[in-house]
Amino acid sequence: MAHSYFHIYGKQRCKFCTKAKKLLKDNSVEFIWSDMTRAKPSLEILKGWTTWETVPMVFHVVGEKQYFVGGCTELESYLHGEDDEEVEEVEEEPSEG
């Protein structure tokens, strides 16, 4: 089975980012946290790439594939098996041009 973990892009002082991290911790799920508080240009690229305007931005990485889950509410539904059909595979890394 492929290695699986979540990657959360968020900001300090974001209650939904804190809740997303807590959801994963409480479910003993491996995750990476990327603090985007001081990385506005990179955050804007992610927003354009995902068409998601708020943080957190949560991705589920399975082996070499990554799937954009959404935000905190979507993560909660995903962890409970309620949103499997709506998660889209991300084909390539975002670029700045």
Side-chain angles (χ1 to χ4, degrees):
M1 182 173 206
H3 181 233
S4 172
Y5 63 94
F6 287 81
H7 194 149
I8 303 173
Y9 295 88
K11 291 183 175 182
Q12 298 171 7
R13 300 186 191 140
C14 164
K15 68 180 180 180
F16 294 106
C17 299
T18 301
K19 183 177 178 182
K21 291 190 289 185
K22 183 174 180 351
L23 279 168
L24 294 173
K25 284 179 186 175
D26 289 351
N27 284 282
S28 301
V29 177
E30 182 182 350
F31 70 94
I32 295 172
W33 162 256
S34 291
D35 182 4
M36 305 300 283
T37 303
R38 294 188 178 137
K40 187 170 181 167
S42 297
L43 184 58
E44 291 303 315
I45 291 168
L46 276 171
K47 285 179 180 181
W49 186 45
T50 61
T51 66
W52 196 262
E53 290 296 318
T54 60
V55 291
M57 293 180 195
V58 182
F59 292 82
H60 187 192
V61 181
V62 182
E64 296 296 318
K65 296 182 179 184
Q66 53 185 328
Y67 303 89
F68 180 63
V69 175
C72 184
T73 302
E74 292 76 16
L75 174 61
E76 192 166 21
S77 295
Y78 186 77
L79 290 174
H80 291 99
E82 298 167 9
D83 271 350
D84 290 340
E85 304 86 32
E86 296 183 28
V87 176
E88 295 182 23
E89 182 178 349
V90 179
E91 295 287 330
E92 56 188 62
E93 293 293 321
S95 62
E96 286 191 55

